[in-house]
Structure formats: C-alpha cells, structure tokens
Amino acid sequence: KAAMKLLLFVYWFIPLLLGLNSCTPEPETPTKGNLHLLIAESIAPAVIHQVDEFMSFYRQNGANITFDLVSSENAISRFLHDTTRMIFATRTLSPAEREAIEITHGKFLEMTVAYDAVAAVVHPTNPRDRVTVGEIRSILTGKSTRWELLQSGQMSKGRVQLFLQDSSDVYSYLTTRVLHGAEISVKFRRVASSIQLLQEVSKNPLSIGFVGLSWIDSAKAAIKVLEVASGSNDDADTSFVPPAGSVGEF
C-alpha cells in the first residue's frame, strides 16, 4: 500500500487533575461531566473517531465532550495560558513550555499515544506512483518546478502546482524534518484545511499536496497517494521506530 513514511509524533497532554470538567455541583467521574478538547487539525479524524466511540458508551451516563480543531501551536499556547485541560498535539512540549505550565498550573502528564503519517497526494490521472524525499525537498525549495525534472517513477509533464496549508502541523513538519529548519521557498497555493487541500488536488491534474494520512479516507476525495522512497542522497529525518515501552502500554 502506497503510504508516505514521513511519521509525525502524536502526543496527548493531560493535567494531573484528571476527570471531566463539570460546571455542576455533582461529583465528576471519568465518564460523567463536561470536557472540552483541543485537537490538532492534521490528526482530527482519528481523534474524533475516538471521541464518538466514547460518547456512544457514556453519553447517557452524563458525559459531554466538545472540541475545537486547531494547530498544535495554538493548542499548546491555550493549554499554557487558559483553562484548557486536555489537548492532542503532534509535537512534544519544549523545556520552557513545560516549566511555564508547571509554574502556572502545577504538575501535568504527557504521553505518546499514537503515530501518524504525512501523505504525498496527486491527481489520480498523474502517471507517477512514487517520489523520493530528495525530490520532495526539490519541489519545496523550487529547484524542481516541472514534473519532468523529477527522476523517479513514470514520466509526467507540466508545471508542478503545490498546495499547502501554511501554519499547519504538516507544514511545520515539512520545514523541520524535510528541509532541516529552512522555509519553503517556492510559491504555493494556500488552502484553509486538509479537506480543501484534497479537494483542490483532486481538481488539478498537475498538483501535489501533503496531508495527514487519516484525512485520506475521511475526505473521500479522488486523489492518488504516492509511495515515498529514500534516494541515495536523502538525509531527511523522516522515519521513526516506535519506542518499545509504548507498545501495548496504553
């Protein structure tokens, strides 16, 4: 199955004051009360599925869960500065953020609950089936602006149309892991959400975009997921082995 081996860490931040945040005098329990979540948009489908499953069991028991879709940066900022008690994000906290949260709110828990992937997607009529990490870097830096300049896979012709959701977790991942901290220097078409990105790619035969893997099935858009291979000169830190201690722990 063609899937991009660009893996994102998915972290679950939760304060030590566990339980649902109830505004009523009734005692709260792990399955009764009100909880508002901040969910990183790039991983939303998987997390929302878990919320729906929880609510199907405990709604009648008095559980009520609401959520906002935000970037990880926004989620962490709100976790630090307001009363948000639980967030799902795709990066760990920095030492400075940990210290600030402990000063403001006290002890909290941070755990890795899953790993996600970033998928490279193109129009279904694009004859190409694969791309290398080096070619992705070449597209993002503007060194390869036409499909025929890429070497791997079947030949496709025309100017590459890049779609990205800037200020998103996927955008941040591409700059930090694939470009080693450099900015994306090529002009690209901006979209407001992962769903819009997939819709735009499905309408543009020369397009390419990058999106969280869990959106592929959820959006039900007509796109092709490229296989991503490591070229001989690829040195991007793009794949991770799950820690042995996390297998079967949660």
Side-chain angles (χ1 to χ4, degrees):
K1 183 177 180 179
M4 190 173 189
K5 295 179 180 178
L6 299 184
L7 300 184
L8 296 170
F9 285 113
V10 181
Y11 290 94
W12 182 4
F13 301 108
I14 184 169
L16 268 180
L17 184 58
L18 300 178
L20 298 180
N21 184 19
S22 177
C23 297
T24 70
E26 297 181 12
E28 60 183 24
T29 73
T31 60
K32 182 179 181 180
N34 298 302
L35 178 67
H36 187 71
L37 302 177
L38 298 181
I39 304 173
E41 191 264 358
S42 62
I43 58 171
V47 179
I48 292 173
H49 175 73
Q50 296 302 313
V51 171
D52 291 341
E53 286 290 307
F54 181 90
M55 290 300 296
S56 69
F57 286 103
Y58 299 113
R59 181 179 285 107
Q60 293 183 345
N61 194 50
N64 178 47
I65 299 178
T66 57
F67 57 84
D68 289 332
L69 302 186
V70 297
S71 68
S72 287
E73 296 301 322
N74 183 275
I76 292 171
S77 176
R78 289 170 63 177
F79 188 65
L80 175 59
H81 294 109
D82 62 24
T83 58
T84 299
R85 301 179 69 192
M86 182 184 295
I87 66 173
F88 291 83
T90 59
R91 72 165 177 86
T92 188
L93 294 171
S94 69
E97 289 167 338
R98 287 193 181 93
E99 181 179 3
I101 290 172
E102 289 184 349
I103 292 173
T104 305
H105 302 295
K107 295 293 184 180
F108 67 97
L109 295 179
E110 173 188 353
M111 64 183 74
T112 304
V113 296
Y115 291 84
D116 194 20
V118 174
V121 296
V122 296
H123 192 272
T125 61
N126 192 318
R128 180 176 294 273
D129 293 318
R130 65 193 296 268
V131 66
T132 68
V133 175
E135 288 172 336
I136 292 173
R137 187 183 300 113
S138 182
I139 291 173
L140 297 177
T141 56
K143 293 181 179 179
S144 296
T145 58
R146 300 186 62 83
W147 283 104
E148 55 265 37
L149 296 178
L150 305 181
Q151 300 301 315
S152 67
Q154 292 178 289
M155 181 63 69
S156 47
K157 296 182 179 180
R159 188 172 185 84
V160 177
Q161 297 178 3
L162 176 63
F163 287 88
L164 290 173
Q165 180 187 1
D166 57 357
S167 301
S168 68
D169 291 353
V170 171
Y171 185 98
S172 176
Y173 177 82
L174 293 173
T175 57
T176 57
R177 297 287 185 174
V178 178
L179 297 182
H180 305 300
E183 287 298 315
I184 295 173
S185 54
V186 69
K187 290 185 178 180
F188 59 88
R189 300 189 181 185
R190 288 173 170 80
V191 295
S193 66
S194 297
I195 289 181
Q196 185 186 1
L197 185 148
L198 291 170
Q199 291 172 340
E200 292 297 326
V201 169
S202 71
K203 294 185 293 187
N204 292 272
L206 297 177
S207 63
I208 186 171
F210 301 91
V211 68
L213 188 61
S214 61
W215 280 103
I216 300 298
D217 292 332
S218 301
K220 301 187 186 322
I223 51 89
K224 179 195 292 186
V225 179
L226 294 182
E227 177 184 355
V228 175
S230 296
S232 58
N233 295 322
D234 291 338
D235 58 354
D237 181 15
T238 56
S239 61
F240 306 90
V241 178
S246 68
V247 178
E249 184 174 350
F250 305 111

